[in-house]
Every structure is written in structure tokens, then in C-alpha cells.
Amino acid sequence: MKKLAFIKQSTDSHWVGDGFPVRGIFSYNDIAEEMSPFLLLDYAGPADFPPTSSRLGVGQHPHRGFETVTIVYEGGVSHHDSTGGGGTIGPGDVQWMTAASGLIHEEYHSPEFAKKGGAFEMVQLWVNLPAKDKMSAPGYQSITADQIPNVALPKQSGTVRVIAGQYKDALGPAQTFSPINVWDLRLTAGHRLSLDLPAGHTTALFVLNGTIRIGDRHTVGAAALAVMERDGNRLEFDVIEDTTLLLLNGAPLNEPVFGYGPFVMNSQEEIIQAMNDFNNGHFGQIGH
């Protein structure tokens, strides 16, 4: 049985550009070792935006050494990058961008969402790349809701959408560089959930809304992250209120993490190289 290691609450609230009011749940600056291979999780919203003709979001910026995963719950996001990748996603969709050797990208509210306004809620997750893959070619996966298996859990306790990895016979559509599970769960109050997960792997539960209880006395509510110990291959918890949560599970990379803003590598020298490459224009340009 996997036991609770600790619960982490949001440590800050800030704007990314002018379109994403986020709470930083964790980053490579605080619990990188405990969360490997996951580097960062920002929770944007829930928020309401009025209709606008303005282009709200965050402008061109670089990344190297990892992947960004954007999961939209409400609203819409449009993405463009210097490899020619891009697209627009809405509720239930996912953008999985592999920065790897380096690219420049931008993210804005989708034109459709900006025009009508309304509720906005999304998660952005950063997934580290193994050292051997950090300088791979960049890539982009646009994963629409209809591509994501949505599996009923036992005893009408809810559903699990398998974005990456595998739940029973359901395989997630995301292609990954190391073994990970990213599951979007919608859970019904009054049930105990029991999930089989690999022993030795990182496991964490991020609650977007609702409440769960782990063990006899540890309750986890909205915008909180429950990080489990790696021992054991079964995860159990009680669903106190109807809950939406994101399950993160993956094999730790056990490699050094050196990060500086949008660059995450394995040494200080590689960070300096990333900065030099970016400043010298090696990350390309976004074409519109």
C-alpha cells in the first residue's frame, strides 16, 4: 500500500502573461527529487473572463530540455511554436509539446473563447526528459478529447480519462519518453478507490475540486497535491465529495536537475549553452 508522504498546497498566485492567472503547485525549485520525472505544475483558474477582442495570453518564449502538457478543463488555448507545431484546444483536449533541443512558443486564449468569454480552467504540467533525450528534435502532439479513452471505474465510482500510460486495457494516446501515467479522474462521493500502480514510481494526486481522504485523517481539498511514498503497488483513498483530480505517476529519472526559468538540463554548463543557443537564434522563429 502506498502511504502519504506529504501534502503540498499552492505556494503563490501570479499571472503568466495577461491571460493565465495561475497558482504554482510545485516546481523543480522545491520538490524536484520527490516528483521526478515531473518538474512543475501550474493551475490556471478557475477564473471568468469577459468577452474581448484583445489577444490574452503569453507571448513568445523559449524552452529546452523537457515537455509541456496543457490540459484544458474550461475555455480554450491556442498554441504556435517555431517548429510549425500548433493548434487550438478546448475542454477535454490536451496539448503535449516536446521542447527537447529547443523551440520558441506562444500561448493565447483561443479566438473563439476570447470572443465569447466565460469560465477558464487549465493545468500546465512540465515533464522532464531523460538526459539521453534532452537534445532530441522538438515535437508537438495535439490530443483531442475523442482520442482519450474514458473508462468507467468499478461500482459506479467515477471515470478515468487516460491521457498517458495505461489503465487496465486502456492506453493513453500521448507518446512519452519514459514510463508515466497521466490520468484525469472524475470521482463520485462516497466511494473508496483502489488503483494498482508500479512500485518504486512517483505517485501524486492533484485535486482540482472536491475532497478526498487518504488514510484515516489526511484530507486533500481543492488546489492541493498529495505526494505518496514510492513503496507499494496499490493506492487507496476515499472520495468525500464529488472530485476532479489529476493522477501523476512515473518512473523517477534519478538524474541531476539544473533549471533556469524555461530551461531544464542536467548541468550548469548545459544551462549556459541553452542560453547562448537561444540568444544566438538557434531556437528558430514563429511564423504566422
Side-chain angles (χ1 to χ4, degrees), residues 28-29 40 62-64 66 126 258-264 271 275:
Y28 58 76
N29 290 316
L40 175 148
H63 289 299
R64 172 179 279 182
F66 60 95
W126 290 11
F258 281 80
Y260 182 78
F263 309 127
V264 183
I271 294 294
M275 294 171 67

Side-chain angles (χ1 to χ4, degrees), residues 96-168:
W96 197 294
M97 184 190 79
T98 303
S101 61
L103 48 63
I104 296 170
H105 80 142
E106 60 184 22
E107 298 162 289
Y108 288 96
H109 292 185
S110 67
E112 299 83 359
F113 174 69
K115 185 177 180 179
K116 68 178 182 180
F120 188 89
E121 183 178 16
M122 66 167 236
V123 165
Q124 186 165 91
L125 174 71
W126 290 11
V127 180
N128 205 1
L129 289 172
K132 66 181 178 61
D133 298 313
K134 281 187 176 288
M135 295 300 288
S136 299
Y140 176 80
Q141 302 174 68
S142 180
I143 302 170
T144 54
D146 60 357
Q147 296 174 298
I148 300 172
N150 193 21
V151 184
L153 292 163
K155 300 178 181 177
Q156 298 183 312
S157 56
T159 59
V160 52
R161 295 198 318 139
V162 186
I163 297 168
Q166 182 171 359
Y167 172 76
K168 297 192 181 299

Side-chain angles (χ1 to χ4, degrees), residues 14-53:
H14 63 279
W15 282 82
V16 175
D18 58 8
F20 306 113
V22 308
R23 283 171 277 183
I25 306 302
F26 72 88
S27 81
Y28 58 76
N29 290 316
D30 49 27
I31 54 172
E33 186 175 341
E34 295 90 338
M35 284 303 300
S36 179
F38 306 103
L39 291 169
L40 175 148
L41 192 149
D42 277 349
Y43 179 37
D48 279 290
F49 285 88
T52 182
S53 58

